Amino acid sequence: MQKTKQNTENKWGNLNYFNKLNIKNYSLTFLFLIALYFVLYLSIDKGNPFDYKSGIYTSVLISIIFAVSLNIAVGLMGQLSLGHAGFIAIGGYTAAFISKLLVPYNLPPFIQLIVVTLAGGILAGIFGFFVGGSTLRLRGDYLAIITLAFGEIIKYVIQNMNFLGGATGLKSIPSILDFSSVYFIAVISVVIMSMIMTSRKGRQILSIRENEIAAENIGIDINHVKLYGFALSAFFAGVGGSLFAHNVGILTPDKFGFVFSIEILVMIVFGGLGSITGAVLSAVLLTVLNEQLREVSQYRYLVYAIILIILMIFRPDGVFGKKELTIPRFINKYKRIRNNLNKKNNN
């Protein structure tokens, strides 16, 4: 019995790398995030609202939320969703519209950002719940087509809603965010998503990806877990959409098309389907790459295609696969490399 229990724990540990975190490792991660904030904060020009570095950091943080939220549905739950841009649009437009209504009340910017971001996330989560409910019996290509259609429907519906600006876009969105607010919202969002994936519900989500029939046979309510996963993914897509709306200042429906969903999907495929830290790092790399290719934007998708082809040939599971890069793992790997180098030098 003891041996069986140990084997089960080992299998689960290989499936969920975040499960190996303890208080010491959480503390190291917390210190790293605080140190990273101060490093980034001190590198920007606080007196310049159009500082280039601040803009890049903000775009990267928003991309991280997009990638990690989609990774819940696609990478961790194993359900191919191509309508993520639709959830982002719902969150972004909701938050921007409410934010404009709140302007006369002169709320503190951070409080206003929290309120409208939660509103955008909740409405996107509700839509995610209903989309998940309508696709419970669908898998693979059929699910991808339905979610793709959902994203396109949202785009065309918004185009015909005059109070949201219609095809010309929703303009004059209040500028109520800065680097600090985006950083902490992004970090809290990723931490919450990571903690959920270490919980009992997170294990149930992972079990659907590994074997849906086996998960159902051991008593897991597949439909309930799928609804939870879709709603969770859509909620954080809405959170990212709110930050995106207040960052760009104007929302146009054509931005939230099929290509936008594919760009986010590329991020999680590059990092590794099922790896949260892989999604984070790929979002950073591809957003910075996108910025570097701004002057030759017509070749951007060509570069993406080349990257994906190379990746599928040499690393089909993505850079990280299903593994997670944690601070303790990074430190241990660094120590092993250093020890091996010392042994070679001594020989």
Side-chain angles (χ1 to χ4, degrees):
M1 180 65 74
Q2 184 66 28
K3 187 176 181 181
T4 303
K5 185 179 179 182
Q6 185 66 36
N7 290 336
T8 303
E9 290 177 352
N10 291 337
K11 287 180 180 178
W12 170 244
N14 292 331
L15 184 66
N16 189 347
Y17 286 84
F18 276 117
N19 199 44
K20 297 176 180 177
L21 291 177
N22 51 34
I23 292 184
K24 177 187 174 184
N25 298 336
Y26 271 120
S27 302
L28 283 173
T29 305
F30 176 76
L31 291 175
F32 170 77
L33 292 173
I34 294 297
L36 179 63
Y37 166 73
F38 281 109
V39 169
L40 297 178
Y41 181 76
L42 293 174
S43 69
I44 63 177
D45 181 3
K46 271 70 74 178
N48 181 9
F50 304 104
D51 180 60
Y52 179 75
K53 287 184 179 178
S54 177
I56 294 295
Y57 296 159
T58 301
S59 298
V60 167
L61 291 167
I62 294 171
S63 295
I64 288 173
I65 298 179
F66 290 161
V68 177
S69 60
L70 180 61
N71 200 33
I72 290 176
V74 179
L76 299 173
M77 196 163 64
Q79 307 297 307
L80 182 55
S81 172
L82 297 180
H84 210 57
F87 299 123
I88 295 171
I90 292 170
Y93 270 94
T94 302
F97 183 72
I98 298 176
S99 191
K100 293 182 72 172
L101 294 178
L102 291 177
V103 168
Y105 297 96
N106 292 321
L107 293 174
F110 187 68
I111 300 296
Q112 183 173 333
L113 182 64
I114 294 294
V115 171
V116 299
T117 297
L118 285 176
I122 290 171
L123 189 61
I126 291 172
F127 271 85
F129 180 85
F130 285 115
V131 170
S134 63
T135 58
L136 287 176
R137 295 181 180 276
L138 300 177
R139 299 174 187 170
D141 299 342
Y142 301 103
L143 177 61
I145 292 170
I146 293 296
T147 52
L148 171 63
F150 163 76
E152 293 299 306
I153 289 171
I154 291 296
K155 186 179 76 171
Y156 287 109
V157 167
I158 292 174
Q159 278 183 351
N160 291 283
M161 300 178 80
N162 292 329
F163 70 97
L164 291 179
T168 58
L170 187 63
K171 302 173 183 174
S172 303
I173 300 171
S175 178
I176 54 175
L177 56 73
D178 55 19
F179 165 72
S180 298
S181 58
V182 176
Y183 182 86
F184 287 111
I185 291 175
V187 167
I188 291 171
S189 298
V190 174
V191 168
I192 290 175
M193 286 186 272
S194 302
M195 292 180 71
I196 288 175
M197 295 317 299
T198 63
S199 68
R200 181 182 180 84
K201 189 65 75 177
R203 298 181 185 192
Q204 293 177 348
I205 289 175
L206 291 173
S207 70
I208 292 178
R209 179 191 68 185
E210 295 302 311
N211 193 317
E212 189 170 326
I213 297 174
E216 190 170 18
N217 287 337
I218 62 174
I220 294 176
D221 188 339
I222 298 295
N223 293 341
H224 175 80
V225 175
K226 280 187 178 179
L227 288 176
Y228 181 84
F230 272 112
L232 184 69
S233 174
F235 172 82
F236 284 103
V239 169
S242 170
L243 300 179
F244 177 79
H246 290 89
N247 184 44
V248 297
I250 177 172
L251 288 179
T252 52
D254 59 335
K255 171 63 182 173
F256 302 99
F258 167 69
V259 175
F260 191 31
S261 295
I262 295 299
E263 285 181 8
I264 303 169
L265 185 63
V266 168
M267 290 181 186
I268 62 173
V269 171
F270 182 79
L273 288 171
S275 172
I276 293 177
T277 47
V280 171
L281 292 179
S282 64
V284 174
L285 291 174
L286 292 180
T287 305
V288 172
L289 175 65
N290 192 27
E291 182 62 26
Q292 295 299 318
L293 296 174
R294 180 181 291 273
E295 295 184 358
V296 287
S297 58
Q298 66 271 28
Y299 300 113
R300 187 178 54 167
Y301 293 114
L302 175 63
V303 174
Y304 276 17
I306 294 172
I307 290 174
L308 282 178
I309 291 171
I310 295 173
L311 190 68
M312 289 302 105
I313 293 174
F314 296 102
R315 192 88 178 174
D317 292 333
V319 175
F320 286 90
K322 295 178 182 176
K323 297 181 179 179
E324 303 289 356
L325 178 63
T326 60
I327 300 297
R329 284 172 62 88
F330 181 77
I331 294 174
N332 290 334
K333 195 159 189 174
Y334 169 75
K335 287 180 178 176
R336 283 200 298 270
I337 293 174
R338 187 184 61 183
N339 292 336
N340 291 334
L341 290 175
N342 289 336
K343 287 180 180 177
K344 287 182 180 178
N345 292 333
N346 292 333
N347 293 332

